[in-house]
Amino acid sequence: MGELAKTNKEISLRTLESILKDDTIFRKFIMNFDKEEYLFKQIPKIDYIYSLNTLMEYYIENDNELPKKYFEKMNYINSYYKSELKDMYREYDYEEYTKIPKREIPFKIINAILSEEEVYQKFLHFSEYKDYFKDISLDRYIQAILDMQKFYKESNMILQRHKRERIQTIKSQFIFETPHNEMLTGERCEVILDPTLEKEVLKRVNLNEDTFVIARSIYIELCKLVTIDDNFFVQRKTEKELSSTKGSDFASIYVSLLRKVGIDAVISSGKEKCALFSYKGIVVEANATKKGTEIDENYHVSDITRVKIGLKTVGFKALNPENDIHAAILNADKKHEEYQKKVERHRRELEQKYRLIKRLNTDAHQNLVEVMEYIAHLDSNHLLSSLDYTEYIRMMVEVCVEDARKKDIFYATCYKKQGDKYRSVLIVDLSICREYGDTYYLFEEQKGGTVLSSLDLRNMKKMGILSIPSEKFEKNLEDKKGWNY
């Protein structure tokens, strides 16, 4: 339903069901809504109508014992408020509903597991009560519970606290017996691998190790040998030579390599594609394009770049972090700590410098030009490709620019023509802050940072040398065209 954003988060399933189940509440909803504010919590009636329609659609897809009176009441509500509903108005046909193939597990059974203590306790001891649950597999019940949880989230409806707690308990208890729902629905695919890439990765991996160690090693070596460039992956055949594979992504390549060595793996069914494999009943996610979100993870940097410059990975993790695998991942990352220390040293050096300046002048700001010059001359001998390098610079900007000054910079990944190809570059805009005038820094692999003006960038764009995919940055550039400093 396109109007889900209108659904008020304070509407509970219990209230919606009571409107359809209880004739007294139904009449109050139709005839005396405004007089029954305590019952409907002063939430607009139209929000209830959208929520009721959303719930009805969910019932139709998930319940094979839906009472006919639900349809009749919904049709009456929609007809009564047809003028307010406009294009959202529809009628629910019970006869049509009875012909639709229904899910194996009705909604009311899932609701009973989460609402009724006796049914919940039986579900926690599933193996003892298989007959009670009609011999339907545990995997299918878990999938149905996760689907219901997703429905609540997407519909902006309240999932009562005790139900949320029970879902968490169920997921924790059964994660060792059944994979995560994405593992259940994932795609087992294989792509045709570049023979040189396959050989380069596998020759560096000890295939006599434990399954987890093998999978982890393949992930690390693959991150070293592939990169993302200009919106597609390129596989590095040697340390210096690159060849493109437009039809493949990291997850597909990684899954194919795991299956080559006998490890069952799938591509997730979600929007953000990643590889999943199971180890001792625990699902491990491998997502090399996932970027750090915490300050100690360094922003904007994916594992494809992290592995090359020695940062800890963020995209290889067990879906349940409280276990031995999480510790194993941390131990596997110890060899990367030296570069992490180097990054922290950069941060401390700048902090100490500007702390001293502030002592002398409490109104002093961090000098952003000095920071950019500092970053421009950092050691970049990491065999980084163009996009890897821009990620690295983004990360260095995040750790080196103090929080109070981050509002004074803007940066965008753009493309610069080199020969017959475009390579990723990062442009940092300092002109937002008037004290720096018309100042931009262009960072590109092997060359470091170069200071430019808005005129330089506009000329590069006119000549076809620079491509700017960021509409916001391009607008900023054009808006400053007439500035005088």
Side-chain angles (χ1 to χ4, degrees):
M1 183 174 292
E3 298 287 346
L4 290 184
K6 294 188 177 181
T7 306
N8 193 301
K9 290 187 178 182
E10 295 181 6
I11 299 176
S12 68
L13 176 64
R14 181 183 298 175
T15 306
L16 294 174
E17 288 191 322
S18 68
I19 293 170
L20 299 177
K21 290 179 179 178
D22 190 309
D23 291 340
T24 302
I25 296 177
F26 174 75
R27 282 195 297 272
K28 287 181 178 180
F29 180 78
I30 294 293
M31 307 301 297
N32 297 302
F33 185 90
D34 296 334
K35 296 179 182 178
E36 303 288 350
E37 291 184 348
Y38 73 94
L39 181 62
F40 300 109
K41 299 181 180 179
Q42 297 181 318
I43 297 170
K45 187 185 294 182
I46 197 70
D47 286 358
Y48 274 98
I49 297 172
Y50 281 119
S51 295
L52 284 165
N53 276 279
T54 302
L55 180 63
M56 182 61 63
E57 290 180 1
Y58 185 79
Y59 278 149
I60 289 172
E61 293 178 8
N62 295 274
D63 203 321
N64 54 20
E65 297 181 26
L66 186 60
K68 187 175 182 179
K69 68 175 183 178
Y70 282 19
F71 284 87
E72 293 171 350
K73 288 184 175 180
M74 274 308 305
N75 285 337
Y76 186 86
I77 289 170
N78 286 339
S79 178
Y80 193 85
Y81 294 105
K82 182 175 181 179
S83 60
E84 295 180 48
L85 287 170
K86 297 178 182 177
D87 58 323
M88 294 304 301
Y89 170 72
R90 63 162 294 181
E91 288 190 12
Y92 294 97
D93 190 302
Y94 185 75
E95 302 306 323
E96 185 180 314
Y97 158 74
T98 57
K99 298 174 184 177
I100 299 173
K102 303 303 182 297
R103 294 209 176 189
E104 196 172 17
I105 307 171
F107 170 77
K108 72 174 188 177
I109 300 226
I110 299 303
N111 201 41
I113 292 171
L114 300 177
S115 303
E116 300 173 22
E117 181 65 25
E118 181 183 352
V119 181
Y120 172 65
Q121 289 300 328
K122 285 181 178 179
F123 189 76
L124 292 181
H125 300 85
F126 189 88
S127 58
E128 300 173 29
Y129 292 95
K130 284 186 177 179
D131 292 343
Y132 181 86
F133 294 104
K134 300 180 180 179
D135 287 324
I136 298 172
S137 70
L138 176 61
D139 281 355
R140 292 181 183 177
Y141 274 99
I142 298 289
Q143 180 71 66
I145 289 170
L146 293 171
D147 285 346
M148 193 204 74
Q149 185 182 34
K150 182 181 178 183
F151 158 73
Y152 273 93
K153 184 177 180 180
E154 292 181 349
S155 302
N156 292 328
M157 290 185 192
I158 284 179
L159 182 59
Q160 292 160 301
R161 181 178 176 182
H162 71 280
K163 289 183 180 180
R164 291 200 307 269
E165 290 174 350
R166 286 180 174 178
I167 289 173
Q168 287 305 116
T169 302
I170 288 168
K171 288 166 75 173
S172 298
Q173 173 158 328
F174 293 117
I175 189 95
F176 294 95
E177 295 183 30
T178 181
H180 186 270
N181 67 317
E182 286 196 352
M183 188 76 180
L184 294 171
T185 57
E187 180 185 357
R188 285 172 171 77
C189 73
E190 290 188 26
V191 296
I192 299 173
L193 296 168
D194 183 304
T196 307
L197 176 75
E198 181 182 343
K199 182 180 177 180
E200 285 292 316
V201 171
L202 297 183
K203 80 177 183 181
R204 306 176 188 203
V205 177
N206 184 353
L207 298 178
N208 295 316
E209 293 275 10
D210 177 79
T211 299
F212 173 78
V213 177
I214 294 172
R216 173 71 180 175
S217 298
I218 291 175
Y219 182 81
I220 294 294
E221 298 305 328
L222 189 58
C223 283
K224 290 178 183 176
L225 292 172
V226 302
T227 187
I228 312 172
D229 188 56
D230 301 333
N231 300 320
F232 60 87
F233 278 82
V234 271
Q235 301 180 5
R236 181 179 284 124
K237 289 186 175 182
T238 68
E239 290 298 310
K240 294 181 180 179
E241 187 180 4
L242 297 173
S243 66
S244 66
T245 56
K246 295 185 182 181
S248 302
D249 57 26
F250 186 94
S252 300
I253 297 171
Y254 182 61
V255 163
S256 299
L257 283 169
L258 289 187
R259 295 177 72 78
K260 283 273 186 182
V261 298
I263 300 174
D264 187 29
V266 301
I267 305 250
S268 67
S269 58
K271 290 182 180 178
E272 186 177 1
K273 300 300 181 185
C274 63
L276 301 169
F277 68 91
S278 184
Y279 174 76
K280 294 184 178 179
I282 297 180
V283 177
V284 180
E285 177 186 271
N287 186 353
T289 58
K290 180 178 182 178
K291 299 184 179 182
T293 56
E294 303 298 330
I295 190 66
D296 59 351
E297 292 175 349
N298 307 122
Y299 297 116
H300 304 301
V301 188
S302 66
D303 283 351
I304 287 178
T305 303
R306 287 172 177 277
V307 169
K308 295 181 182 73
I309 61 179
L311 289 174
K312 292 179 180 179
T313 58
V314 293
F316 192 95
K317 63 180 182 179
L319 294 182
N320 176 9
E322 303 300 325
N323 53 56
D324 294 338
I325 290 182
H326 188 60
I329 293 172
L330 293 179
N331 290 334
D333 278 326
K334 280 186 176 178
K335 61 184 178 180
H336 298 309
E337 288 182 356
E338 285 306 309
Y339 194 83
Q340 182 75 28
K341 290 176 183 176
K342 182 179 177 181
V343 171
E344 293 304 318
R345 189 173 73 250
H346 291 325
R347 191 211 301 260
R348 284 197 303 273
E349 286 175 1
L350 285 172
E351 282 181 351
Q352 288 169 3
K353 178 178 179 180
Y354 286 101
R355 198 176 292 121
L356 176 62
I357 291 174
K358 276 190 174 293
R359 262 195 240 117
L360 298 174
N361 180 3
T362 55
D363 294 328
H365 291 294
Q366 188 184 49
N367 188 315
L368 296 180
V369 168
E370 286 185 6
V371 174
M372 292 307 125
E373 288 293 329
Y374 177 79
I375 295 173
H377 296 94
L378 288 176
D379 174 28
S380 59
N381 296 321
H382 305 294
L383 290 173
L384 299 178
S385 69
S386 57
L387 191 58
D388 290 332
Y389 180 71
T390 61
E391 283 199 342
Y392 166 68
I393 295 300
R394 274 178 179 266
M395 180 265 291
M396 292 309 303
V397 170
E398 286 288 344
V399 300
C400 292
V401 175
E402 62 184 26
D403 290 342
R405 298 243 64 184
K406 284 177 181 172
K407 68 180 186 303
D408 296 327
I409 62 173
F410 178 82
Y411 42 71
T413 299
C414 300
Y415 299 103
K416 184 181 176 186
K417 192 170 186 179
Q418 294 181 3
D420 59 348
K421 293 183 178 180
Y422 278 91
R423 309 292 284 170
S424 301
V425 295
L426 185 74
I427 299 176
V428 181
D429 180 0
L430 300 185
S431 66
I432 296 169
C433 193
R434 300 294 287 245
E435 65 189 274
Y436 300 118
D438 188 22
T439 305
Y440 296 79
Y441 275 82
L442 185 146
F443 290 91
E444 55 186 317
E445 58 177 321
Q446 299 176 347
K447 293 184 180 181
T450 306
V451 63
L452 298 170
S453 68
S454 58
L455 180 61
D456 294 328
L457 294 176
R458 288 198 301 273
N459 285 339
M460 289 170 68
K461 182 176 178 293
K462 288 177 183 177
M463 295 168 65
I465 298 172
L466 189 67
S467 173
I468 303 176
S470 169
E471 291 182 8
K472 181 179 178 181
F473 178 70
E474 188 162 20
K475 186 176 185 301
N476 288 348
L477 200 61
E478 292 302 320
D479 286 348
K480 294 165 188 173
K481 190 172 182 179
W483 283 13
N484 294 311
Y485 295 97

